[in-house]
C-alpha cells in the first residue's frame, strides 16, 4: 500500500486498541489514545525504510536516505543468508527483513527500552520521529508541497506538547505498566502495531509480504503471505484509494469514540 493508507490504517488500529481497552475496563487516558494513534500512524510507514523512494526514506533528508541504504544492504544480506531453495534470488532488500514480525518486535522493544532508560529526552526523540512521519502520512497532500523544515517544525512542536501532557500525573506515562521505572514502557506497543499493520497491508497487494519469517513454509523461508491472488490489488489502485482509505477513516472514528466512552 501507499504511505497515506498505511498511516490511516495504523491510526485506526491504535484507536481500535483503545476501544478494546475501554471495553476491558482498562481505558486509555486521552493523551495515550492521541499519542498512540499518531505514533502508530508514523510507525506504519517505518518498514519501508528499505526502499529509497518511500516516504520515510525522504522524511529526514540525508539522514534517512543514508539509513535507507544501510537497512537495504542489511536486509539483503539477511535474505541471502537465510533463504531456502524455493526463495528467489534478489538484488535488493525491499520487503524482506523490515517486513517481518521479528523486526516489528525488535523495533518496538528497543523503543520501549530507550524510553525507560533515556527518560524525557528519549521520549521526545521517539515522539519527534513518529510525529514527522505521521504528518507525512496523514497530511500527505500538504506535506508534499511544504518544505521539510516546516514538517520537522510541526513534528517537533507536536512531540513537545504531547511529551509535556503525558508527563503530567494521571495522563498516561504509566498506562498499562504502573511499576516504578516502567513509565513509557507502553510506547513500544503502537510502534509494534504500526509495523505489523503495515505488513498486513502489504500482504493484501500483488507481491504479498513475508511477515512470518523466519518460520519456513514449504521450500521457502521468505514466503509472501497474502490472500488468494484474485483478492489482491496493486498499490495505489482504486481499491486502496476509494475503498480501504474511507474504511480506515470510518473504523478509526468509531474506535476513537468507543475508546472515549462516547458510544
Amino acid at each position: 500500500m501507499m504511505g497515506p493508507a498505511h498511516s490511516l490504517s495504523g491510526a485506526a488500529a491504535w484507536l481500535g486498541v483503545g476501544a478494546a481497552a475501554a471495553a476491558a475496563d482498562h481505558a486509555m487516558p486521552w493523551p495515550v489514545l492521541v499519542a498512540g494513534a499518531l505514533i502508530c500512524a508514523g510507525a506504519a510507514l517505518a518498514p519501508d525504510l528499505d526502499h529509497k523512494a518511500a516516504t520515510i526514506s525522504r522524511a529526514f533528508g540525508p539522514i534517512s536516505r543514508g539509513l535507507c541504504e544501510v537497512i537495504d544492504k542489511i536486509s539483503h544480506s539477511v535474505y541471502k543468508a537465510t533463504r531456502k531453495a524455493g526463495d528467489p534470488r534478489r538484488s535488493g532488500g525491499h520487503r524482506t527483513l523490515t517486513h517481518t514480525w521479528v523486526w516489528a518486535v525488535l523495533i518496538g522493544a528497543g523503543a520501549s527500552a530507550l524510553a525507560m532508560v533515556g527518560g524525557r529526552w528519549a521520549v521526545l526523540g521517539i515522539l519527534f520521529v513518529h510525529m514527522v512521519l505521521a504528518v507525512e502520512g496523514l497530511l500527505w497532500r500538504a506535506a508534499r508541497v511544504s518544505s521539510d523544515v516546516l514538517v520537522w517544525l510541526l513534528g517537533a512542536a507536536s512531540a513537545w506538547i504531547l511529551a509535556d501532557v503525558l508527563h503530567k500525573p494521571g495522563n498516561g506515562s504509566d498506562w498499562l505498566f504502573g511499576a516504578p521505572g516502567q513509565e513509557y514502557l507502553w510506547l513500544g506497543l503502537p510502534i509494534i502495531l504500526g509495523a505489523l499493520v503495515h505488513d498486513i497491508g502489504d500482504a493484501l497487494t500483488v507481491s504479498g509480504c513475508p511477515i512470518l519469517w523466519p518460520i519456513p513454509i514449504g521450500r521457502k523461508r521468505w514466503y509472501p503471505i497474502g490472500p488468494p491472488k484474485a483478492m489482491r490489488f496493486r498499490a495505489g489502485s482504486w481499491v486502496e484509494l476509494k475503498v480501504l482509505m474511507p474504511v480506515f477513516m470510518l473504523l478509526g472514528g468509531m474506535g476513537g469514540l468507543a475508546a472515549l466512552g462516547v458510544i
Side-chain angles (χ1 to χ4, degrees), residues 8-9 12 15 241 243-255:
L8 276 175
S9 65
L15 293 171
L241 300 175
V243 178
L244 292 181
M245 289 180 65
V247 167
F248 294 151
M249 286 188 279
L250 177 62
L251 292 177
M254 293 176 62

Side-chain angles (χ1 to χ4, degrees), residues 178-236:
Q182 293 185 349
E183 292 83 5
Y184 299 110
L185 181 59
W186 62 268
L187 276 180
L189 298 179
I191 295 174
I192 294 173
L193 181 61
L196 293 177
V197 167
H198 177 110
D199 296 344
I200 293 170
D202 278 355
L204 299 176
T205 63
V206 173
S207 301
C209 188
I211 305 172
L212 296 181
W213 179 87
I215 301 170
I217 299 178
R219 297 175 65 248
K220 295 183 177 182
R221 195 180 302 278
W222 296 90
Y223 189 89
I225 297 295
K229 291 193 174 181
M231 299 174 62
R232 302 186 190 187
F233 57 88
R234 292 190 178 278

Side-chain angles (χ1 to χ4, degrees), residues 98-118:
T98 62
H99 287 68
T100 66
W101 69 270
V102 175
W103 177 271
V105 171
L106 288 176
I107 293 299
S112 289
L114 180 62
M116 287 194 300
V117 173

